[in-house]
Amino acid sequence: LEIVVTILNENDNSPVFAQPNLTRDVPEDTKVGTAVVAREEVSASDADLDTIYYELTTTVQDTDGYFAIRGVNNPEIYLRKALDYDKFNSTTLLLYARDRPVTSPDPTHTATATITITIGQKDTRAPWFLPCTLLHNDTSVCISSPYSGRVNISEMSMDPLLLEPGPIYAVDPDYTISDRIVYSIVGGNTDEVFSVDADTGNLTMNKIVTSPDSFLLQVMATQVSNIRKYSIATVEIKVINKSNFPPHFEKEVYNGTVFVGLPQRSFVYQAGDPSTPLVITAMDQDFPDV
């Protein structure tokens, strides 16, 4: 008597990851679609030879959607959305391997792999002139205001010029790189009247100005290691007559009269002369004709 015994494969084994814990460094400027973790590194095996179904999630808030797998049966992890170091610099992914589809009513065995992603900041932004204001609270764009200053006509200043809202100063916004910044004047410097210190950004005079003209300088801030990363700031220098005297009032004391019951914005009249409005005037010896 010949008896044939067929052994049925029972689903009694869980999928197994060869490397349940992985770490990857991903540069900030990685192109969308680039594979971050190869399929071979995150493929699970199953002693029951079942088809493996994969699912990828993230455990860090606001980092969902940046990484994905190629397919439900292909666990290769790729970059799905462009990275921004200022938004987050690390995240943790959980890759699930199941021997049944997620929707299957049958008993399912699951394995989990943890992938730690560290984002590396890259030199992606040009220098920022300070002070500046973030645009719409976006940390990737900061808008600065023009600088302004004054010099006296026919007078040579030996010190760095005082500017508003502050001295010329720029920084590398990719702060983990923090490249050195150098300065130069690239426009508006008629007759080479001004010069800028390449290292400090201090603006000084090379010669006197003999006409009451204004200068609209263009100052460039460039990163030393990458000259393609640069920004331009506008510096307006007004040439004025020197002020030697402070303004003064014509009188030390002014006396006026008001009447009860008058509406707002009514005139105040001179004391003793109710028909003449009170006028307060000041003079400046630097401008006798004004």
Side-chain angles (χ1 to χ4, degrees), residues 47-61:
D48 299 317
L49 303 180
D50 292 322
T51 300
I52 305 298
Y53 300 87
Y54 298 94
E55 179 187 8
L56 186 69
T57 63
T58 180
T59 63
V60 180
Q61 187 176 4

Side-chain angles (χ1 to χ4, degrees), residues 1 52 68 70 72 90 115 137 142:
L1 178 64
I52 305 298
R70 297 292 185 186
V72 67
S90 66
I115 301 96
N137 294 322
C142 201

Side-chain angles (χ1 to χ4, degrees), residues 68-118:
I69 56 176
R70 297 292 185 186
V72 67
N73 300 122
N74 183 353
E76 179 180 87
I77 301 174
Y78 70 98
L79 183 63
R80 184 180 180 186
K81 189 165 61 173
L83 298 171
D84 185 345
Y85 183 88
D86 290 326
K87 291 183 178 179
F88 69 96
N89 53 36
S90 66
T91 187
T92 300
L93 307 176
L94 295 179
L95 180 63
Y96 298 99
R98 300 183 177 90
D99 54 12
R100 294 289 184 273
V102 176
T103 57
S104 174
D106 299 330
T108 303
H109 298 97
T110 304
T112 304
T114 302
I115 301 96
T116 302
I117 302 292
T118 301

